[in-house]
Amino acid sequence: MTTTPKTPLRALRITHEQIQYVHIQPEPSSVEALQRSIPCDYFDVVRLNGNIDLFVDDEGAINGSPLNLYLTIVAHALGTPAVLFGTGIALGCNPNTGDTISLTDTQLAHIDRIFKSKPDPKIVDRLAESLAPFPALVALLRRD
């Protein structure tokens, strides 16, 4: 019996410095592919609105990884007030099964809009609350 290889998953790799389109190869192991892409030993899944999941280093806040403002803004803009560290991978989520899938064109465009625009005042307020331990960053976010 032969099996058909799985199609690579279209994703965004988001570091504290850049955002890049990547493909995650789900074979032989999606877990190992994500661990290599992040890079980390253990990752967590941050569920966002719009059927988007962020896979992030589970130990990012304690292993010296830098604060990732890009990931933090995306999480807040998509309904999850999380402060995230290190590298993250954005992938789609099938709302019926919970399976990890490629990002759709619509999801990519939505994330792209988040990156290209200033967060609205409600999101800035939520960010300011979450990022209170980083007052210089809060001041930067509040500037017009």
Side-chain angles (χ1 to χ4, degrees), residues 6-85:
K6 292 183 181 178
T7 305
L9 302 174
R10 184 167 61 163
L12 284 176
R13 185 172 188 265
I14 306 167
T15 71
H16 69 284
E17 297 176 324
Q18 68 176 350
I19 297 106
Q20 66 186 139
Y21 295 97
V22 296
H23 288 91
I24 303 296
Q25 182 60 279
E27 291 183 345
S29 165
S30 297
V31 170
E32 290 173 2
L34 285 165
Q35 288 169 320
R36 280 190 308 275
S37 295
I38 291 175
C40 67
D41 292 323
Y42 307 99
F43 59 83
D44 198 4
V45 181
V46 179
R47 294 271 155 124
L48 307 177
N49 293 336
N51 300 315
I52 297 172
D53 286 342
L54 291 177
F55 292 81
V56 297
D57 184 349
D58 191 40
E59 299 174 328
I62 61 171
N63 67 11
S65 294
L67 170 70
N68 190 323
L69 188 57
Y70 292 131
L71 279 178
T72 299
I73 289 171
V74 168
H76 280 72
L78 294 175
T80 303
V83 177
L84 301 171
F85 294 80

Side-chain angles (χ1 to χ4, degrees), residues 91-139:
L91 282 157
C93 175
N94 180 319
N96 299 318
T97 65
D99 291 343
T100 298
I101 58 176
S102 287
L103 288 170
T104 65
D105 290 340
T106 301
Q107 290 167 324
L108 285 168
H110 191 63
I111 294 171
D112 191 52
R113 279 191 303 277
I114 292 168
F115 288 133
K116 289 181 178 176
S117 62
K118 181 177 168 122
D120 72 44
K122 288 180 184 176
I123 293 171
V124 170
D125 287 344
R126 285 189 295 234
L127 283 163
E129 185 177 324
S130 297
L131 295 171
F134 305 95
L137 200 50
V138 171

